[in-house]
Every structure is written in C-alpha cells, then in structure tokens.
Amino acid sequence: ISTIANTEGQTVDKFTPYIFQIVPNTYMEATAATRYMNKKYPNAKKFCTIEQDYEYGRREQAAFIEEIKKLVPDAEILYEAWPKLGEKDYTSFITAIMAKKPDAVHSSLFGSDIVAFTKQAIPYGFFEKTPFIALYDLPALVSLGGDAPEGVMAFGRGCFFMDPNPKMMEFVKKYRTAHGAYPDSWAVQNYDAVYLLKTAVEKAKTTDTEAVIKALEGIKFDSLRGPFTIRPLDHMGSVPCYQGTITADPAYPFKTWKDITRVQGDQVWRSEPSVREVWKKTGVVR
C-alpha cells in the first residue's frame, strides 16, 4: 500500500494487482494544484516550471502542462527548469525564471529542495514578483520558520492542518503525546495504510494475499482524511488533494495555510478510458 511514493506509474503504466496507492498520485496532485493556481490567477497565460529531474518531477510537470492547456488553451510554457534532486544552488534557475517574467510558476520541489530554493529566492524578491505554487507541507514550513513566504500558494497530501476534522485532531492529540510533535502527511498516510489493511483483512477474514486484494478492491474506508474508496480498475484511492496559501498562524509555532481547498481524488484522477489507453501502450492486460 503506497503512502509516500506517488508516481502514477505504480497504478497506470506499470500496473500490478499487488500495489494499492493511497497517496494522491502525480496526475491527481498536479491537476488539482493547477486548477487552484488557475482560480487564483485566471488571467495567467505565460508559465515557467521548476521540477526535480526524476520520475516525480517529470510526471508532475507533464500533468501540469496537460491541465493548464485545457484551462488556458493559449497557455505558453516559457521555460522549464530541471534541477537535480538535492540541488544546493538554485541561483541560475531563479534568475532565469525571473528574466522570463512569467504570469505564474508551477513547481513540485519539496523537502530540503523547496527549503533551499525558498531561502535563495527571497533576496531576489521572487515571491513578491512571481505567483508560485509548490509542495509546502509541514516539514518544509517547520524548516523555513519565519522565512516561509506568506501568500504563496501551496499544495500537500494531508498534514493535520490541511484537514482538521474531528478524527484527524484526535490523532494529532495522540501523536503529540507519543512523539512531542505534530503529524505531517507522511504520518497521516501511513496510519491510514495500516488501518486500511486491517479493515481489508477483517473483511476477507484471512491474511491470504489474493483474498485481501479482492477485499481491498472497491472498499470504502473512513480515513483521517475523510472517506475514500479504492477504484477496482487500477487500485487508486480516491484520496483528497489539498491546496492553500501560506499564512502566519497564532495557534502554532510555524506557519500553516489559509484559503484551503480539498479536492476529492475522483474529481482529478485519470478517467477509466484514459487509463485503458495508457495500458494499451504499455502492455498491461487487465
């Protein structure tokens, strides 16, 4: 049950019945983030992208371009930046993007990469001049501290503040008691995975692999992120994608988000005909 690695290849291109995915995949995540950006900046037509140069970044960028051209048929991609994973110096990328003067920038940078990029971009006035969206989740916001740029768009996968429903907040209370910290999306998704598997085993009344697979297909599960189902077609969970804008939050010792939107996965996942079209190209028989 994949909870962190989110390439769409796990459930589409290289489908196997032994993998289930309950993290928003690259197609879902980028599609939802692109729609949020478009709603915030409906007149934006000229874009740059900066994505990590490996599977995750390549797929996020491809999904962004596909969706933005649906929303803005005359959209232009002015510049594509492909820093390596773990890049230390973003100066050349920052200055190249700013020289293009895009209407907005999409990025899938996360973790230490988005922290480094943000700290290096601030002195250039990047965020005041350039609408920008990236994966600013709890670990990034905690690492950035006061440097987290307020008003900048963000997307994420289920850190506690993105979906503070009663079940989530009860989990937060228990997690803080156990660990002395707040749970990020990785903790949330892994907790959901364990209890999803438990639910499937109880439904199957056995731990037999094939029986548990059958039990998982089409299952309805009440997670920390709210109810979702597993699509029998490709084993993708209809898990939500979250977007917001960074803001100071007096309730916490780190910045969180405001203007939060929650997009259920079945609103942004690849359609069944599209999945089957990919399968024809990659040789998946299902």
Side-chain angles (χ1 to χ4, degrees):
I1 300 177
S2 182
T3 61
I4 297 176
N6 78 324
T7 173
E8 190 190 23
Q10 290 181 115
T11 53
V12 181
D13 307 46
K14 300 178 180 180
F15 174 83
T16 166
Y18 301 101
I19 289 181
F20 291 78
Q21 200 164 5
I22 63 164
V23 52
N25 69 34
T26 46
Y27 186 91
M28 296 160 62
E29 185 168 72
T31 298
T34 304
R35 291 178 185 176
Y36 186 82
M37 174 191 283
N38 177 251
K39 187 174 181 180
K40 288 281 187 179
Y41 297 92
N43 297 320
K45 293 185 178 183
K46 296 181 179 181
F47 302 92
C48 290
T49 62
I50 177 166
E51 325 281 356
Q52 291 146 318
D53 192 11
Y54 76 116
E55 173 83 0
Y56 164 68
R58 290 281 174 180
R59 283 185 178 264
E60 290 262 337
Q61 198 247 22
F64 163 72
I65 291 176
E66 179 179 327
E67 185 63 18
I68 199 63
K69 289 190 174 180
K70 290 176 183 176
L71 299 170
V72 186
D74 57 345
E76 295 180 58
I77 307 301
L78 304 177
Y79 171 68
E80 301 177 9
W82 296 105
K84 67 179 184 295
L85 186 63
E87 176 64 62
K88 302 300 182 185
D89 186 358
Y90 289 90
T91 304
S92 63
F93 301 113
I94 294 165
T95 55
I97 289 171
M98 295 185 75
K100 293 292 184 180
K101 298 182 180 179
D103 297 327
V105 178
H106 177 274
S107 177
S108 59
L109 295 179
F110 71 96
S112 60
D113 287 0
I114 191 58
V115 171
F117 174 88
T118 301
K119 288 184 175 181
Q120 292 171 36
I122 287 172
Y124 289 89
F126 181 90
F127 300 106
E128 289 78 20
K129 300 171 183 176
T130 313
F132 181 76
I133 190 167
L135 207 170
Y136 285 103
D137 60 0
L138 180 62
L141 293 170
V142 170
S143 294
L144 284 166
D147 288 334
E150 293 188 40
V152 168
M153 296 174 288
F155 63 87
R157 302 169 183 175
C159 299
F160 79 96
F161 63 81
M162 301 174 192
D163 200 337
N165 64 72
K167 188 169 184 175
M168 177 74 83
M169 298 315 291
E170 179 63 23
F171 173 67
V172 170
K173 182 179 178 181
K174 292 178 179 178
Y175 190 93
R176 291 199 70 202
T177 298
H179 302 290
Y182 288 90
D184 57 19
S185 60
W186 318 119
V188 168
Q189 290 165 162
N190 280 289
Y191 183 94
D192 283 345
V194 171
Y195 280 91
L196 173 63
L197 181 58
K198 175 180 182 290
T199 302
V201 169
E202 290 173 345
K203 179 182 176 183
K205 296 182 172 60
T206 177
T207 57
D208 174 75
T209 297
E210 302 303 326
V212 173
I213 288 173
K214 186 176 180 181
L216 280 167
E217 291 182 338
I219 199 169
K220 295 180 180 179
F221 180 67
D222 186 18
S223 77
L224 294 177
R225 296 166 286 164
F228 68 79
T229 62
I230 299 291
R231 183 162 64 172
L233 172 74
D234 56 358
H235 293 181
M236 185 66 229
S238 63
V239 292
C241 306
Y242 301 92
Q243 305 82 43
T245 56
I246 299 172
T247 188
D249 192 334
Y252 302 105
F254 43 80
K255 294 178 182 177
T256 60
W257 295 358
K258 63 179 180 180
D259 303 329
I260 298 172
T261 61
R262 179 185 188 279
V263 180
Q264 197 67 33
D266 57 9
Q267 297 177 37
V268 286
W269 62 19
R270 189 180 292 276
S271 68
E272 179 172 342
S274 181
V275 170
R276 294 193 179 280
E277 191 63 34
V278 175
W279 284 350
K280 286 180 183 178
K281 297 175 182 177
T282 59
V284 172
V285 178
R286 177 75 167 141

